Amino acid sequence: MSQPKDTSGSKSGSESGSQSAAAEAAATAEMTMPPSVQAGAMTHAIFRVARLHRMLAAQLLRRVGLHPGQELVMMQLWDLGPQRQADLVRLLGSDAATMTRTIRRLEHAGFVRRHPCATDRRAFIIEPTTASLALRRQVEEVWAELESSVADSLTPDQQTEAIDALTRIERSLAHATTRHASAEQ
Amino acid sequence: MSQPKDTSGSKSGSESGSQSAAAEAAATAEMTMPPSVQAGAMTHAIFRVARLHRMLAAQLLRRVGLHPGQELVMMQLWDLGPQRQADLVRLLGSDAATMTRTIRRLEHAGFVRRHPCATDRRAFIIEPTTASLALRRQVEEVWAELESSVADSLTPDQQTEAIDALTRIERSLAHATTRHASAEQ
DNA sequence: GCGCTTTACTTGTTCGGGCAGGAAATGGCG
DNA sequence: CGCCATTTCCTGCCCGAACAAGTAAAGCGC
């Protein structure tokens, strides 16, 4: 319904940067969202925050030569030392197949090394290289910058409130997810 | 650095469903996260919420035969009527290349139809098919279920607080993103 | 030992997302 | 009019994420 006949005349003429176009649209789209999207206020808010957050994280990580997701693997290795792939999968809640490819790319980039486990010939031990130690500082800087981008314009009270809200939402989602997984099929 | 010698003994023996394994890990990982991850409390909370939310959305959408992202395109078409691909890209803040492929898959699934624009021979007009109207109810049900999964276990006050917090975070992120995009390069 | 299940990892496929590059059409300016 | 930047769309490539299927090894019961 409400078919806009003038499909050709719809420019707004504000396209400035190619990279910020998506963020711009996501930021300004909150007002122009159609009714069926407005129905889920929380859902839509989570969508937008997640997208902006992921976009910013990718943008910052690209400066240090990492793709989103790879930094989490490196953090686990830096903090907990050499581990098997299965341990990384379990800690990050990732997929074994995704981990295989991520590890391979990190190995090819020279950030991790892998050698077969002595006691279990199925397993591989993944360990960070000494070359990755320089990366660690950069990643921590990125992490800090990301955190400040989220929290800087919030008062301490608002930060506490935000974390509380996110924690509650997470619990709610976790409950729903496990419920769905166990209920159906 | 605390090399875990017992790499073979690390099972927790609680793997029930293959699909809930990731959610389970994500939900329980909040306590076992290493120091460098704990540093960014907000960042990490957003990560976890976004992941659970996307996972649940994908799970629900799969039941109606859609992949995450496709439902947003259909919603725009249902609410605003036939549009050009460029309009969809602008409204959803997506990528032109991604939109090309998404539209092609939706067309192949029979949910949209595309025909060349009369006034602009570069553009294509995308319109929802009548067959997609049945899908609309299902998508709205999915959307409602997703929303209730987020909000059900929250009091009205907590919901308002959550939306406030998410809105503040979004504004903060949008500001940081545009600032980054304009500052560097 | 033998057979079975479980675990660890790999590969293939499909999808969204982003970037780069190119073809075609448009529109503005000299 | 021609020239040129812009817009629109397509394609290829890379990456993360998820699913399915397969291999190899380990563990367990008999």
mmCIF file of all heavy atoms in Angstrom, chain A residues 133-151:
data_model
loop_
_atom_site.group_PDB
_atom_site.id
_atom_site.type_symbol
_atom_site.label_atom_id
_atom_site.label_comp_id
_atom_site.label_asym_id
_atom_site.label_seq_id
_atom_site.Cartn_x
_atom_site.Cartn_y
_atom_site.Cartn_z
ATOM 1 N N LEU A 133 52.938 -10.450 20.339
ATOM 2 C CA LEU A 133 52.953 -9.648 21.565
ATOM 3 C C LEU A 133 52.850 -8.163 21.243
ATOM 4 O O LEU A 133 52.244 -7.388 21.989
ATOM 5 C CB LEU A 133 54.232 -9.930 22.364
ATOM 6 C CG LEU A 133 54.313 -11.371 22.882
ATOM 7 C CD1 LEU A 133 55.546 -11.535 23.769
ATOM 8 C CD2 LEU A 133 53.049 -11.742 23.646
ATOM 9 N N ALA A 134 53.440 -7.758 20.131
ATOM 10 C CA ALA A 134 53.310 -6.365 19.708
ATOM 11 C C ALA A 134 51.858 -6.051 19.376
ATOM 12 O O ALA A 134 51.369 -4.946 19.631
ATOM 13 C CB ALA A 134 54.193 -6.087 18.492
ATOM 14 N N LEU A 135 51.194 -7.043 18.843
ATOM 15 C CA LEU A 135 49.794 -6.860 18.481
ATOM 16 C C LEU A 135 48.927 -6.676 19.727
ATOM 17 O O LEU A 135 47.914 -5.967 19.689
ATOM 18 C CB LEU A 135 49.314 -8.076 17.693
ATOM 19 C CG LEU A 135 47.959 -7.986 17.011
ATOM 20 C CD1 LEU A 135 48.030 -7.053 15.828
ATOM 21 C CD2 LEU A 135 47.482 -9.355 16.568
ATOM 22 N N ARG A 136 49.349 -7.303 20.816
ATOM 23 C CA ARG A 136 48.527 -7.289 22.031
ATOM 24 C C ARG A 136 48.248 -5.874 22.511
ATOM 25 O O ARG A 136 47.121 -5.530 22.840
ATOM 26 C CB ARG A 136 49.224 -8.096 23.124
ATOM 27 C CG ARG A 136 48.394 -8.189 24.396
ATOM 28 C CD ARG A 136 48.994 -9.161 25.391
ATOM 29 N NE ARG A 136 48.093 -9.355 26.521
ATOM 30 C CZ ARG A 136 48.273 -10.261 27.455
ATOM 31 N NH1 ARG A 136 49.301 -11.070 27.404
ATOM 32 N NH2 ARG A 136 47.407 -10.366 28.451
ATOM 33 N N ARG A 137 49.290 -5.061 22.532
ATOM 34 C CA ARG A 137 49.091 -3.676 22.962
ATOM 35 C C ARG A 137 48.092 -2.976 22.067
ATOM 36 O O ARG A 137 47.163 -2.308 22.530
ATOM 37 C CB ARG A 137 50.422 -2.907 22.927
ATOM 38 C CG ARG A 137 51.413 -3.308 23.993
ATOM 39 C CD ARG A 137 52.645 -2.428 23.909
ATOM 40 N NE ARG A 137 53.241 -2.408 22.571
ATOM 41 C CZ ARG A 137 53.053 -1.449 21.683
ATOM 42 N NH1 ARG A 137 52.280 -0.414 21.974
ATOM 43 N NH2 ARG A 137 53.635 -1.523 20.490
ATOM 44 N N GLN A 138 48.272 -3.164 20.765
ATOM 45 C CA GLN A 138 47.375 -2.498 19.811
ATOM 46 C C GLN A 138 45.932 -2.931 20.009
ATOM 47 O O GLN A 138 45.014 -2.111 19.961
ATOM 48 C CB GLN A 138 47.825 -2.824 18.374
ATOM 49 C CG GLN A 138 49.172 -2.248 18.018
ATOM 50 C CD GLN A 138 49.583 -2.611 16.596
ATOM 51 O OE1 GLN A 138 49.696 -3.784 16.250
ATOM 52 N NE2 GLN A 138 49.784 -1.602 15.771
ATOM 53 N N VAL A 139 45.749 -4.228 20.228
ATOM 54 C CA VAL A 139 44.388 -4.732 20.412
ATOM 55 C C VAL A 139 43.784 -4.154 21.690
ATOM 56 O O VAL A 139 42.611 -3.783 21.727
ATOM 57 C CB VAL A 139 44.384 -6.272 20.451
ATOM 58 C CG1 VAL A 139 43.030 -6.794 20.916
ATOM 59 C CG2 VAL A 139 44.706 -6.836 19.081
ATOM 60 N N GLU A 140 44.616 -4.063 22.730
ATOM 61 C CA GLU A 140 44.107 -3.489 23.980
ATOM 62 C C GLU A 140 43.752 -2.023 23.795
ATOM 63 O O GLU A 140 42.787 -1.522 24.371
ATOM 64 C CB GLU A 140 45.140 -3.680 25.100
ATOM 65 C CG GLU A 140 45.153 -5.108 25.640
ATOM 66 C CD GLU A 140 46.357 -5.392 26.516
ATOM 67 O OE1 GLU A 140 47.220 -4.486 26.652
ATOM 68 O OE2 GLU A 140 46.446 -6.516 27.051
ATOM 69 N N GLU A 141 44.517 -1.339 22.962
ATOM 70 C CA GLU A 141 44.174 0.058 22.666
ATOM 71 C C GLU A 141 42.848 0.135 21.918
ATOM 72 O O GLU A 141 41.991 0.971 22.231
ATOM 73 C CB GLU A 141 45.291 0.699 21.828
ATOM 74 C CG GLU A 141 46.514 1.098 22.634
ATOM 75 C CD GLU A 141 47.621 1.648 21.732
ATOM 76 O OE1 GLU A 141 47.301 2.018 20.580
ATOM 77 O OE2 GLU A 141 48.792 1.681 22.161
ATOM 78 N N VAL A 142 42.701 -0.736 20.946
ATOM 79 C CA VAL A 142 41.453 -0.767 20.179
ATOM 80 C C VAL A 142 40.275 -1.046 21.110
ATOM 81 O O VAL A 142 39.238 -0.389 21.043
ATOM 82 C CB VAL A 142 41.524 -1.835 19.069
ATOM 83 C CG1 VAL A 142 40.124 -2.157 18.532
ATOM 84 C CG2 VAL A 142 42.404 -1.361 17.932
ATOM 85 N N TRP A 143 40.474 -2.029 22.000
ATOM 86 C CA TRP A 143 39.430 -2.402 22.931
ATOM 87 C C TRP A 143 39.048 -1.214 23.813
ATOM 88 O O TRP A 143 37.864 -0.936 24.057
ATOM 89 C CB TRP A 143 39.914 -3.576 23.780
ATOM 90 C CG TRP A 143 38.809 -4.423 24.328
ATOM 91 C CD1 TRP A 143 38.359 -4.446 25.603
ATOM 92 C CD2 TRP A 143 38.020 -5.373 23.612
ATOM 93 N NE1 TRP A 143 37.336 -5.346 25.713
ATOM 94 C CE2 TRP A 143 37.103 -5.932 24.519
ATOM 95 C CE3 TRP A 143 37.994 -5.798 22.284
ATOM 96 C CZ2 TRP A 143 36.170 -6.889 24.134
ATOM 97 C CZ3 TRP A 143 37.069 -6.753 21.918
ATOM 98 C CH2 TRP A 143 36.176 -7.286 22.831
ATOM 99 N N ALA A 144 40.071 -0.504 24.262
ATOM 100 C CA ALA A 144 39.809 0.651 25.117
ATOM 101 C C ALA A 144 39.100 1.756 24.352
ATOM 102 O O ALA A 144 38.169 2.390 24.868
ATOM 103 C CB ALA A 144 41.130 1.167 25.692
ATOM 104 N N GLU A 145 39.511 1.956 23.111
ATOM 105 C CA GLU A 145 38.886 2.993 22.304
ATOM 106 C C GLU A 145 37.423 2.646 22.017
ATOM 107 O O GLU A 145 36.547 3.515 22.033
ATOM 108 C CB GLU A 145 39.652 3.156 20.984
ATOM 109 C CG GLU A 145 39.212 4.369 20.180
ATOM 110 C CD GLU A 145 40.150 4.646 19.007
ATOM 111 O OE1 GLU A 145 41.218 4.028 18.952
ATOM 112 O OE2 GLU A 145 39.767 5.479 18.165
ATOM 113 N N LEU A 146 37.209 1.354 21.794
ATOM 114 C CA LEU A 146 35.844 0.893 21.546
ATOM 115 C C LEU A 146 34.984 1.119 22.786
ATOM 116 O O LEU A 146 33.842 1.608 22.694
ATOM 117 C CB LEU A 146 35.876 -0.593 21.168
ATOM 118 C CG LEU A 146 34.623 -1.240 20.598
ATOM 119 C CD1 LEU A 146 34.118 -0.446 19.412
ATOM 120 C CD2 LEU A 146 34.925 -2.680 20.186
ATOM 121 N N GLU A 147 35.549 0.790 23.925
ATOM 122 C CA GLU A 147 34.793 0.961 25.163
ATOM 123 C C GLU A 147 34.489 2.430 25.421
ATOM 124 O O GLU A 147 33.375 2.789 25.816
ATOM 125 C CB GLU A 147 35.581 0.371 26.339
ATOM 126 C CG GLU A 147 34.885 0.469 27.682
ATOM 127 C CD GLU A 147 33.775 -0.556 27.845
ATOM 128 O OE1 GLU A 147 33.585 -1.369 26.920
ATOM 129 O OE2 GLU A 147 33.092 -0.536 28.893
ATOM 130 N N SER A 148 35.465 3.266 25.177
ATOM 131 C CA SER A 148 35.239 4.691 25.417
ATOM 132 C C SER A 148 34.247 5.266 24.420
ATOM 133 O O SER A 148 33.489 6.189 24.745
ATOM 134 C CB SER A 148 36.561 5.453 25.353
ATOM 135 O OG SER A 148 36.991 5.586 24.014
ATOM 136 N N SER A 149 34.223 4.711 23.211
ATOM 137 C CA SER A 149 33.252 5.178 22.231
ATOM 138 C C SER A 149 31.830 4.878 22.681
ATOM 139 O O SER A 149 30.890 5.599 22.368
ATOM 140 C CB SER A 149 33.505 4.503 20.876
ATOM 141 O OG SER A 149 34.727 4.945 20.332
ATOM 142 N N VAL A 150 31.691 3.807 23.429
ATOM 143 C CA VAL A 150 30.368 3.450 23.934
ATOM 144 C C VAL A 150 30.032 4.268 25.176
ATOM 145 O O VAL A 150 28.921 4.782 25.319
ATOM 146 C CB VAL A 150 30.307 1.941 24.278
ATOM 147 C CG1 VAL A 150 28.969 1.596 24.895
ATOM 148 C CG2 VAL A 150 30.547 1.102 23.041
ATOM 149 N N ALA A 151 31.015 4.409 26.046
ATOM 150 C CA ALA A 151 30.720 4.894 27.392
ATOM 151 C C ALA A 151 31.040 6.367 27.610
ATOM 152 O O ALA A 151 30.595 6.945 28.598
ATOM 153 C CB ALA A 151 31.488 4.047 28.411
#
